[in-house]
Amino acid sequence: MAKTILAVDDSGSLRQMVAFSLNAAGYQVIEAVDGQDGLNKARNQVVDLVLTDQNMPNMDGLTLIKSLRAMESYKTVPILMLTTESSDEMKAQGRAAGATGWLVKPFDPKRLIDVVKKVIG
């Protein structure tokens, strides 16, 4: 069975590009429009990996990560930040919140797939 990835980003075009790349590599993708939507979808179905942006309306990526890590079913699920934020300070905040890794936008689809494969196979 295909592994499922939750892709959380307020940019529809970016979600489409992420979903297209991951679907082509054999993954199932659930899309969410912001952190709150992502949290709601994560509560309904436990996924194998979460990919989240940082800067979104309603709930940002760091808050989403902290909220997911507080849930028993998401304590060990890999969470990758996919964001334009690249400062060492923001990466440190991401690690402190519980992010597994960090990818900077714009992203290379092949690199995304390589990182996802490394993290969840």
Side-chain angles (χ1 to χ4, degrees):
M1 194 168 125
K3 295 204 173 172
T4 304
I5 297 169
L6 175 61
V8 187
D9 200 301
D10 58 324
S11 164
S13 58
L14 192 103
R15 278 195 322 274
Q16 276 186 320
M17 200 160 87
V18 166
F20 178 80
S21 301
L22 293 170
N23 286 149
Y27 297 100
Q28 184 179 353
V29 179
I30 298 170
E31 296 181 34
V33 298
D34 60 38
Q36 188 60 59
D37 186 34
L39 186 59
N40 293 341
K41 288 181 175 168
R43 284 184 179 129
N44 292 333
Q45 178 181 350
V46 177
V47 298
D48 298 294
L49 172 73
V50 177
L51 267 177
T52 183
D53 186 19
Q54 165 53 19
N55 301 310
M56 300 177 286
N58 301 320
M59 182 188 290
D60 67 19
L62 290 175
T63 306
L64 172 61
I65 292 171
K66 290 175 190 167
S67 300
L68 289 172
R69 290 297 186 219
M71 297 164 55
E72 194 58 43
S73 53
Y74 279 91
K75 291 221 184 291
T76 61
V77 170
I79 302 173
L80 298 175
M81 293 288 288
L82 178 60
T83 180
T84 56
E85 299 281 349
S86 61
S87 71
D88 290 340
E89 180 185 333
M90 185 56 78
K91 288 178 183 176
Q93 288 179 29
R95 277 191 297 277
T100 309
W102 201 277
L103 292 164
V104 178
K105 292 180 199 170
F107 73 96
D108 169 32
K110 183 183 178 328
R111 170 124 172 80
L112 174 66
I113 300 305
D114 289 346
V115 170
V116 168
K117 282 182 178 169
K118 197 176 289 180
V119 176
I120 63 170

